[in-house]
């Protein structure tokens, strides 16, 4: 597309951070455009991570990251309650397996205190095994982190983007930025969807942030795509992992975690591998072998059970131990770079921070009085009542009682609702992130053809249409 309209602000990147910034800006009288290079919001770095709502206990004290993660924990927790984003307050336990790791626990507890988190407690081996009986032999001690929680990454991203659009932001998908041309009063972004013009540009482009930064004449960092691979286990394993089991950082790195998921599974990972290919989200034999060897030490009984899926995500690593957020007022340009996996938790705080930095510019950031209520998101987590369990809802609309995906108990009503939503899915992967369809142990083997038919029919419009598509 091509437009001669000039937005007050263009936000590049509709991951969690970009969507949160667009939402905040759209809460003012400013005109906001949110650009996404891919076919859906949250289809890049944001879609594949460990999905933990972090307290920030282990961040480097005094950094911008530590401040924003702690603030984001509170902001996102409250927003999740408002919008229905699934959250499960499991807590976490760092487990020490060596003398070196055990000796590091007091320092980690002190780091948590310096980050303002006071709830960590050092426990002995007996308490470790009382909390997680299925751990492998040899644990020496542990550090509790009661506030660490599970959250749905997919719903978080979709809620923030939906809120931005409902507040008036314009969302353009499949709009990869090819070139930026600053001019008097505005910048023209040449994109795969045509030219888009804005007075201010916010760079939240994740893996592409350094390339866009260079378009504005800066050469201050390079993004290194860092692949993290994870294994997902069948839901029958969930009782074995009642909370998040973290490794104690040591001279060998941060290690591998074992964690429940918001969808009722268990996951093990991630790996950490620096690459050059910014599209390399394939899993690898080496990654599988690494997770197998590490995981069997942590919880051998878990590896007697079925691995139902594996996936990989790319993090936008930079050569810095902190976030890189900067405002170039002369060019009306904002960089939001180097946001690691903690960006899931800190996204709303990053948006708040960016708004503060923009407060001294020519942008009118006065909040509007006519904001719509936050969106209410569908529950795709195992916490709370899912539609197939809700007799009243099924009685009012039988589509919520018609199962499409038996592994994940996804109904025709949910799929129909996804296509009727503010930001409908563009493909099967987007539909999966909105409903969990094809996300279970069969990975779409049984429901894939039916789901593809529903995709082609845009979810169908009523129960008769759904039945006809079958």
């Amino acid at each position: 597309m091509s437009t001669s309209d000039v937005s007050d602000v263009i936000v590049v990147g509709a991951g969690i951070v970009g969507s949160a910034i667009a939402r905040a800006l759209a809460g003012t009288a400013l005109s906001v455009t949110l650009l996404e290079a891919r076919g859906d919001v949250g289809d890049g770095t944001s879609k594949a991570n460990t999905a933990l709502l972090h307290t920030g206990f282990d961040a480097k004290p005094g950094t911008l990251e530590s401040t924003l993660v702690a603030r984001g924990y509170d902001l996102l927790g409250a927003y999740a309650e408002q919008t229905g984003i699934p959250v499960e307050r499991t807590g976490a336990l760092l487990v020490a397996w060596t003398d070196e790791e055990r000796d590091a626990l007091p320092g980690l507890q002190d780091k948590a205190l310096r980050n303002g988190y006071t709830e960590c407690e050092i426990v002995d081996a007996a308490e470790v095994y009382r909390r997680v009986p299925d751990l492998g032999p040899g644990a020496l001690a542990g550090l509790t982190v009661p506030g660490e929680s599970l959250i749905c990454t997919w719903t978080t991203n979709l809620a923030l983007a939906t809120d931005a659009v409902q507040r008036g932001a314009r969302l353009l998908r499949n709009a990869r930025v090819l070139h930026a041309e600053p001019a008097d009063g505005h910048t023209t972004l040449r994109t795969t969807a045509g030219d888009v013009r804005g007075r201010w540009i916010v760079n939240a482009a994740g893996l592409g942030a350094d390339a866009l930064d260079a378009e504005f004449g800066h050469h201050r960092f390079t993004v290194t795509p860092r692949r993290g691979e994870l294994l997902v286990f069948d839901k029958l394993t969930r009782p074995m992992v009642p909370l998040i089991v973290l490794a104690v950082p040591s001279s060998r790195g941060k290690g591998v975690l074992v964690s429940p998921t918001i969808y009722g599974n268990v996951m093990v990972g991630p790996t950490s591998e620096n690459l050059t290919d910014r599209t390399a989200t394939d899993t690898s034999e080496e990654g599988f072998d690494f997770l197998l060897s590490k995981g069997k030490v942590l919880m051998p009984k878990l590896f007697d059970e079925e691995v139902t899926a594996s996936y990989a995500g790319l993090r936008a690593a930079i050569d810095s131990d902190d976030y890189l957020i900067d405002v170039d007022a002369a060019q009306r340009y904002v960089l939001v770079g180097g946001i690691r996996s903690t960006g899931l938790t800190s996204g709303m705080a990053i948006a708040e921070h960016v708004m503060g930095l923009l407060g001294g510019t020519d942008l009118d950031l006065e909040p509007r009085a006519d904001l719509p209520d936050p969106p209410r998101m569908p529950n795709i987590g195992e916490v709370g009542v899912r539609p197939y369990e809700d007799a009243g809802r099924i009685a009012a609309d039988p589509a919520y009682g018609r199962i499409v995906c038996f592994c994940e108990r996804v109904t025709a009503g949910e799929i129909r609702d996804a296509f009727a939503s503010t930001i409908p899915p563009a493909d099967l992967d987007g539909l999966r992130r909105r409903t969990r369809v094809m996300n279970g142990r069969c990975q779409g083997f049984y429901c894939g053809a039916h789901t593809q038919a529903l995709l082609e029919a845009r979810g169908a419009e009523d129960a008769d249409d759904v039945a006809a598509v079958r």
Side-chain angles (χ1 to χ4, degrees), residues 140-347:
L140 301 179
L143 182 72
T144 66
V145 194
E148 294 287 294
S149 305
L150 313 177
I151 191 167
C152 180
T153 303
W154 301 336
T155 309
T156 299
N157 205 145
L158 188 61
L160 292 166
T162 298
D163 211 351
V165 171
Q166 291 183 351
R167 288 177 169 199
R170 177 178 59 154
L171 171 64
L172 297 180
R173 295 187 265 185
N174 294 305
R176 182 179 302 278
V177 175
L178 305 172
H179 183 50
E181 297 180 0
D184 291 339
H186 70 273
T187 294
T188 298
L189 298 181
R190 309 289 185 190
T191 84
T192 51
D195 293 351
V196 186
R197 298 175 178 85
R199 292 177 53 230
W200 278 81
I201 307 298
V202 176
N203 178 359
L207 289 165
D210 56 345
L212 182 55
D213 199 48
E215 290 288 316
F216 287 85
H218 299 286
H219 303 282
R220 43 190 160 179
F221 69 105
T222 299
V223 169
T224 299
R226 182 169 295 163
R227 180 166 62 185
E229 300 181 50
L230 297 110
L231 302 179
V232 181
F233 288 79
D234 188 80
K235 298 183 196 305
L236 294 174
T237 63
R238 175 61 194 267
M240 299 171 64
V241 189
L243 47 73
I244 304 157
V245 180
L246 300 170
V248 176
S250 71
S251 58
R252 294 177 301 278
K254 279 200 167 185
V256 169
L257 64 81
V258 180
S259 175
T261 76
I262 202 75
Y263 317 117
N265 302 92
V266 168
M267 67 180 179
V268 175
T271 60
S272 182
E273 179 186 8
N274 288 342
L275 305 174
T276 56
D277 184 352
R278 302 189 186 202
T279 65
T281 56
D282 294 336
T283 55
S284 68
E285 183 177 350
E286 294 78 12
F288 186 88
D289 289 343
F290 174 83
L291 294 176
L292 196 66
S293 64
K294 294 293 184 182
K296 280 187 173 181
V297 173
L298 293 172
M299 192 171 284
K301 288 175 63 176
L302 177 63
F303 284 79
D304 292 334
E305 306 296 330
E306 291 184 62
V307 174
T308 59
S310 62
Y311 68 92
L314 295 177
R315 289 159 280 177
I318 66 171
D319 187 19
S320 170
D321 59 0
D322 203 358
Y323 294 167
L324 182 53
I325 302 176
D326 179 68
V327 173
D328 183 338
Q331 294 193 88
R332 294 194 176 103
Y333 168 69
V334 183
L335 168 65
V336 184
I339 311 300
R340 294 175 284 275
S341 58
T342 53
L344 166 58
T345 298
S346 63

